[in-house]
Amino acid sequence: MLVLVSYDVSFEESGGKRRLRKIAKICENYGQRVQYSVFECVVDPAQWAHLRHNLLEAFDEDRDSLRFYFLGKNWQRRVEQHGAGVAYDPERDTLIL
Amino acid sequence: MKKLLNTLYVTSQGTYLSKDGECVVVRAEDGVKRRFPVHVLDGIVCFGNVLCSPFLLGHCGEKGLAVSFLTERGRYLAGVRGPQSGNVLLRRAQYRLADEAEASSRLARAIIAGKIANSRAVLRRCLRDHRNRVDALAMNGAISMLDACAERLRHPVSLDEARGMEGQAANAYFAVFDNLILAEDRTFHFEGRNRRPPLDAVNCLLSFVYTLLAHDVRSALEAVGLDPQVGFLHRDRPGRPGLALDIMEEFRPFLADRLVLSLINRGEVRARGFVSKESGAVFMDEDTRKTVLTAWQKRKQEEVAHPFLKERISLGLAFHVQAQLMARAIRNDLDGYPPYFWR
């Protein structure tokens, strides 16, 4: 299934930058960055549990915000891309480099 | 149900693969960097001069990703797999069966029967679709030859006899293989199977696709805990993945051969995509290789109804299903090994 993870991390006090890096790192481990703070993660339920847990551990409940959008299994027809930045479909695309 | 994961093919020379967190980071020579989370992949195939960091290899082993190293032209060199996994008891049962002449021949017979049936289906389909463009007499001759071999395999025969049937069937099949090539371009002309090195474009394509098939089948066998080296039809030889070659047999005609044929017949590969060397060996260029890889990946995503499971699966998963069925047959949970029959 595809989960879209987007976040907003507050820079109001010093720990902000560190949390931002940490959250980005966790997301990178599970998916691809499609915009600055938007990740598309194709995960199974177990992987999602891990990802969710790690994100909730890393963020600051009082200052930051995390949003998860569940696009399900047939997500290909729910996503449209325009403009710069091309994402790959980890399930269907041929990964040849 | 296992999910069909993607395979990463690295064909750009001088690429460096490393690990960052849970990701495979691919650095090209011109500095471009791509990253893929390990969990979306189930294998990495490296062609030619591609470097892998030891940590990446270790991580892949741990996560069950198969990493294969091939020459730039697609000849298999080496593979890195994680620690032996799976069930010792299953592997022991496999070795015991491989030592028993009778049991080996029973499994080998099922495998060959699958291959022959699928070869026959490929010929018949071509005959049906292009009756006026092929030599129907020769094709029908080959088909009845295949039928005769299949018929003899229904009765218990020794392993050597079964292997003889396989040889006969393969000869009959490849003798009319040229008929299946409908492209006008006479570069693509088939006179007989040759390899190491392939001496014409068709053999070059066949060998390359067989290598890709071998990678996938081998990974599937390792995933269910079987030893890919110990086969029933293909006997032990150091470095040869006997069981992987066994399971490959039934997939060759309809998966590999037909992929090559449709690439040729649809004009997706062209004569200029091949270079021949002084030695007579024929190789494909980088673009052609990419075309073949893309077609291979696409083919694996096609959905088919599995004849034994009666379930719709993608073709790429069929390797895993067959590996699982082989494991069941070895464990004696099934009366025999049901090969994959294509129709």
Side-chain angles (χ1 to χ4, degrees), chain A residues 1 25 28-31 42-43 47 88-97, chain B residues 3 6 9-12 20 22-23 26 35-37 39 41 293-294 297 301:
Chain A
M1 61 174 179
K25 188 105 205 158
E28 270 189 337
N29 282 342
Y30 288 90
V42 175
V43 285
Q47 287 160 345
Y88 66 91
D89 172 351
E91 286 177 316
R92 303 223 177 125
D93 282 357
T94 332
L95 308 179
I96 305 178
L97 294 169
Chain B
K3 218 173 96 185
N6 224 323
Y9 295 98
V10 188
T11 61
S12 307
D20 180 22
E22 296 282 316
C23 289
V26 184
R35 53 192 310 145
F36 303 100
H39 76 259
L41 302 173
L293 287 172
T294 313
Q297 284 299 89
Q301 285 159 10

Side-chain angles (χ1 to χ4, degrees), chain A residues 2-4 32 34-35 38-42 69-82 85 87-89:
Chain A
L2 178 71
V3 184
L4 191 86
Q32 61 175 325
V34 286
Q35 283 175 353
V38 180
F39 280 84
E40 282 183 12
C41 305
V42 175
Y69 301 83
F70 302 95
L71 293 168
K73 227 169 96 181
N74 295 314
W75 55 270
Q76 277 92 352
R77 55 189 178 81
R78 295 177 219 245
V79 180
E80 240 182 77
Q81 152 83 35
H82 300 280
Y88 66 91
D89 172 351

